[in-house]
Amino acid sequence: MSPASANLTIRGRNANWTTNYPLDFLRNAAYAPVGMLLTPKKLQRRTAKLRDPEGTRQSLLQAAFREVYRYGFQSAGIDAILAATNVTKGALYYHFESKEALGHAIIEEIIAEITKDRWLRPLQQSKDKNPIDALIGIVQAIPARPRDVKRGCPLVNLTQEMSQLDEQFRKRLERIFQAWQEGIATALRKGQYTGTVRRDLVPEETASFLIAMVEGYEVLAKNAQDAKVWNLGIKNIVSWLSSLRAPGNGKRG
Amino acid sequence: MSPASANLTIRGRNANWTTNYPLDFLRNAAYAPVGMLLTPKKLQRRTAKLRDPEGTRQSLLQAAFREVYRYGFQSAGIDAILAATNVTKGALYYHFESKEALGHAIIEEIIAEITKDRWLRPLQQSKDKNPIDALIGIVQAIPARPRDVKRGCPLVNLTQEMSQLDEQFRKRLERIFQAWQEGIATALRKGQYTGTVRRDLVPEETASFLIAMVEGYEVLAKNAQDAKVWNLGIKNIVSWLSSLRAPGNGKRG
């Protein structure tokens, strides 16, 4: 095995092999140039990464998400991500073959999950509940801490920045919007069937109306950098949601 | 006068002096190093810029707006702006002392004007009209060409990118949102007074609800890169606006 191929294997996902890697071999490797000899502390750190490739990947992904969330994708600094995670550039590019691949993973593994956690799973779990009550509960549970409001919605941030610039980003973001809309529309349709939701509304259009309002208020609150703006938005959205109840069915907000 | 101070004056806003500048002096200047001797064509172009500093400033501002609109402020390239305008870096920094100053001018002189043109002036000019009719007309007149929809709303783009990063940007963008909200609220209040608008709504909150919806649909349409999404949004916004009419007053949409 040439040093080059050994290197490839070290960076590979074969966790068993990595875990069993003979440390003394690295520490005493006869062919390692002086600059490559690792100090025990660095070695310890790097060995920890080698032993847990999935952990390294997750830590890179989270750090990249934070960096992109703050500065946008184009301005996100790879060096800042490496500094935050203490991972080498080589390891980063092993896990994500390009900055774009890292951006796609942020969308599919973090932002899509946020939408699922906040909207789709609660809607699925509230099967027997009036969908208007479920939606009001979901909207009221969107984090409204000042730090959340100040950073805005990660989905809107990336949508505004990347939709026109990169079709691969756009499509991945669109899948999130579509799943979000379908989840809400399905709940509303069910409510129309069971008689809790007004029959005169079109579920898909009402769903996109709700999404537009939530995202629109995220923009206003981000601009104001003020949770009060967000809370006023929620109050208005809840009042609008209440107007979707079938006549004579449920509370009025 | 030293060459340095002559240079400062050439870049100055003294249009009279610039217009009267003796070209032969430049063409034959004894102290000009060889590399600085201008070819007639370049000279002609540069002279035109010198003769119209306000035109140069406007052309820089428009090119910078297009660049920022497409790539965002942080990723906007000064070189791309110079290439698009055929202006020197020195002239750019004469008109705008920093990239930030250029960004501020884009907000105050272009984006604020778009909001005034589309919303505030039509609202002021429709004094005797039912404000709901006026707002419906305004919303329906927002450009819906595919190229507009694809680029999204420049106000939302910059808000999402810069509100958290730079207080100077945030404040300037906030002034636009505030003027926009006040313009709509004033029209609604007038309608409540004359009996055309429902008395049970709070004008400021209804105004921000409308703005949130418009901006939210801009986000959805930009993500879809599809004017159909925007047109469906307008349809829903118009239908919501119609619900603000005082009972028995005006049409129902």
Side-chain angles (χ1 to χ4, degrees), chain A residues 70-71 74-75 157 160 163-164 170 173-174 177 205 209 212-213 216-217 222-223 225 235-236, chain B residues 70-71 74-75 157 160 163-164 170 173-174 177 205 209 212-213 216-217 222-223 225 235-236:
Chain A
R70 183 161 175 86
Y71 297 103
Q74 298 170 91
S75 300
N157 291 358
Q160 288 305 108
S163 291
Q164 198 199 355
R170 191 195 70 74
L173 294 162
E174 187 173 47
F177 280 113
E205 288 186 23
F209 194 86
M213 253 187 308
Y217 273 118
K222 179 162 184 176
N223 174 251
Q225 293 277 296
K235 195 194 96 181
N236 285 319
Chain B
R70 183 161 176 87
Y71 297 103
Q74 298 170 92
S75 300
N157 291 359
Q160 288 306 106
S163 292
Q164 197 197 357
R170 191 195 71 73
L173 293 162
E174 188 172 47
F177 279 113
E205 287 186 23
F209 194 86
M213 255 187 307
Y217 274 117
K222 179 162 184 176
N223 173 252
Q225 292 278 293
K235 195 194 95 179
N236 285 319

Side-chain angles (χ1 to χ4, degrees), chain A residues 122-132 134 182-199 201 203:
Chain A
L123 279 176
Q124 281 160 359
Q125 284 158 6
S126 67
K127 272 185 209 165
D128 305 323
K129 208 173 169 183
N130 179 327
I132 303 299
E182 278 165 27
I184 298 171
T186 300
L188 291 173
R189 211 174 291 116
K190 199 198 67 188
Q192 288 181 319
Y193 184 75
T194 57
T196 53
V197 172
R198 272 168 39 194
R199 299 258 164 113
L201 58 80

Side-chain angles (χ1 to χ4, degrees), chain B residues 180-224:
Chain B
W180 190 3
Q181 187 184 350
E182 278 164 27
I184 298 171
T186 301
L188 292 173
R189 211 174 291 115
K190 198 199 67 190
Q192 288 181 319
Y193 184 74
T194 57
T196 54
V197 172
R198 272 169 39 194
R199 298 257 164 113
D200 63 332
L201 57 81
V202 182
E204 288 73 17
E205 287 186 23
T206 307
S208 76
F209 194 86
L210 174 56
I211 293 171
M213 255 187 307
V214 169
E215 298 299 41
Y217 274 117
E218 297 256 21
V219 173
L220 296 185
K222 179 162 184 176
N223 173 252

Side-chain angles (χ1 to χ4, degrees), chain B residues 115-127:
Chain B
T115 311
K116 279 184 199 155
D117 283 346
R118 287 194 193 156
W119 290 81
L120 305 183
R121 289 195 190 101
L123 279 176
Q124 282 160 358
Q125 284 157 7
S126 67
K127 272 185 208 164

